Amino acid sequence: MNWLPLARLWTRHAPVARGKDRLATLALRLTPAPPADVCVETVDGRRFRIDPASHGYAPVYFRGVYEPGISHVVSRLLRPGDVCLDVGAHIGWYTTLAATLVGPTGAVHAFEPLPSAFRRLERNVALLQDSSCVVLNNIALGEAPGAGLLHVFPSEPDSHSSISDQGRPDARAIPCTVTTLDAYLAERVPHARTVALVKLDVEGAELMCLRGAHGLFSRPAPPCWIVEMAASTSRGFGYTPNDLLAQIRARGEYDFFTIGPIDGALTRLEAFEPGDPGDYVLCAPRGRLGASQVRAR
């Protein structure tokens, strides 16, 4: 029996939040062969294709949401007509969210080098009522243009694919094309046009991407960034989350905030303490965020 629809009905509509995650996990265990490709409606009205058993994305199936805190922040930052860059787009949660926010007068440039994820990204973008603002790129971003290798790990979901082999003997390399943000923007986004937001989540290669974006920081209105700063992935590249903060500070005056996982509440960050696993960090040019955008706690 497929228990997933019943569990989804409860997790979506029951007024009591307690126990919903346990129910979803139990339903997945009790369903012998859960469907691998289901189209669901998100709480904000998008249609999105998801594998209910996919690591990390199961909340999209059961609750219609994914990373609600970060999604709240993205929704507060983007306006119609804005330009957004989704670096490490995977299957398109933030690409499609940004597209609904910036509308046909804006632009969303998405970057996903893994071929299997890119195909799913294309399918989810195609489900948008209007996808005319989305530009999809099956490439990686880094410090210099050229050929690169993307590594996948058999025991990990493909969302953990990385430019680094993370020192693992089971890493399987897939060729990919690499460019820099500056080189891409020079061709696709005029210097005078403001990039409002960059979401950067590339499994440890964040520092390489930032080093390839010097020109973006020097634009008349530099962007806000939402960056994954994780010790577990940056370690494979020989740096720490604090090195990411230092790289951005060297490019201009920025304020840093960790993002509440549920409501997107912002907590000011100066530096990560030793042993801190890291976090998703909003990096905002000083003075950019108004009272209506920041709910500091």
Side-chain angles (χ1 to χ4, degrees):
M1 180 176 178
N2 183 359
W3 293 96
L4 299 184
L6 291 174
R8 181 170 179 262
L9 184 65
W10 176 263
T11 56
R12 286 265 182 143
H13 302 294
V16 179
R18 186 176 180 182
K20 288 185 175 182
D21 290 338
R22 289 196 299 272
L23 177 62
T25 301
L26 179 61
L28 283 168
R29 289 176 180 172
L30 292 176
T31 302
D37 188 29
V38 179
C39 186
V40 299
E41 184 173 325
T42 68
V43 294
D44 57 15
R46 284 175 286 153
R47 290 184 300 155
F48 203 82
R49 285 201 169 276
I50 190 66
D51 175 354
S54 171
H55 174 79
Y57 286 101
V60 179
Y61 176 82
F62 287 103
R63 297 197 185 192
V65 297
Y66 176 68
E67 295 183 343
I70 300 171
S71 298
H72 282 317
V73 172
V74 170
S75 297
R76 297 203 299 269
L77 291 175
L78 290 178
R79 296 291 181 268
D82 281 346
V83 176
C84 174
L85 311 179
D86 187 3
V87 186
H90 200 233
I91 64 174
W93 177 264
Y94 290 109
T95 296
T96 56
L97 173 61
T100 65
L101 296 168
V102 306
T105 60
V108 180
H109 298 262
F111 304 85
E112 175 50 55
L114 186 65
S116 59
F118 185 78
R119 288 191 293 270
R120 285 179 285 163
L121 169 65
E122 288 181 307
R123 290 201 299 268
N124 280 320
V125 168
L127 292 173
L128 288 168
Q129 288 186 345
D130 184 354
S131 62
S132 60
C133 67
V134 180
V135 181
L136 298 178
N137 300 279
N138 186 203
I139 58 176
L141 294 178
E143 191 171 354
L149 293 174
L150 188 68
H151 299 89
V152 295
F153 310 99
S155 60
E156 301 284 349
D158 64 9
S159 58
H160 291 179
S161 61
S162 175
I163 295 294
S164 169
D165 64 9
Q166 301 291 337
R168 293 177 50 162
D170 62 339
R172 180 169 63 89
I174 299 173
C176 65
T177 300
V178 182
T179 191
T180 67
L181 263 176
D182 283 345
Y184 178 86
L185 292 173
E187 288 188 7
R188 306 301 295 269
V189 182
H191 184 79
R193 187 163 191 192
T194 298
V195 175
L197 176 65
V198 183
K199 188 230 82 184
L200 178 58
D201 181 355
V202 286
E203 297 300 305
E206 289 82 9
L207 187 60
M208 300 164 64
C209 290
L210 290 170
R211 287 173 174 167
H214 295 287
L216 178 55
F217 282 100
S218 67
R219 289 194 171 205
C224 291
W225 298 72
I226 294 177
V227 183
E228 185 187 38
M229 302 185 180
S232 60
T233 54
S234 61
R235 189 179 301 119
F237 292 81
Y239 71 89
T240 70
N242 281 331
D243 293 321
L244 290 169
L245 297 176
Q247 180 71 20
I248 295 173
R249 282 194 176 106
R251 305 270 73 84
E253 294 187 349
Y254 271 79
D255 294 318
F256 302 96
F257 305 89
T258 56
I259 300 171
I262 303 301
D263 63 357
L266 303 176
T267 301
R268 190 173 292 275
L269 172 70
E270 295 299 329
F272 291 101
E273 297 294 331
D276 194 312
D279 211 331
Y280 283 95
V281 178
L282 170 63
C283 317
R286 192 151 298 161
R288 177 70 57 83
L289 301 184
S292 63
Q293 296 169 305
V294 178
R295 295 181 293 153
R297 61 183 182 184

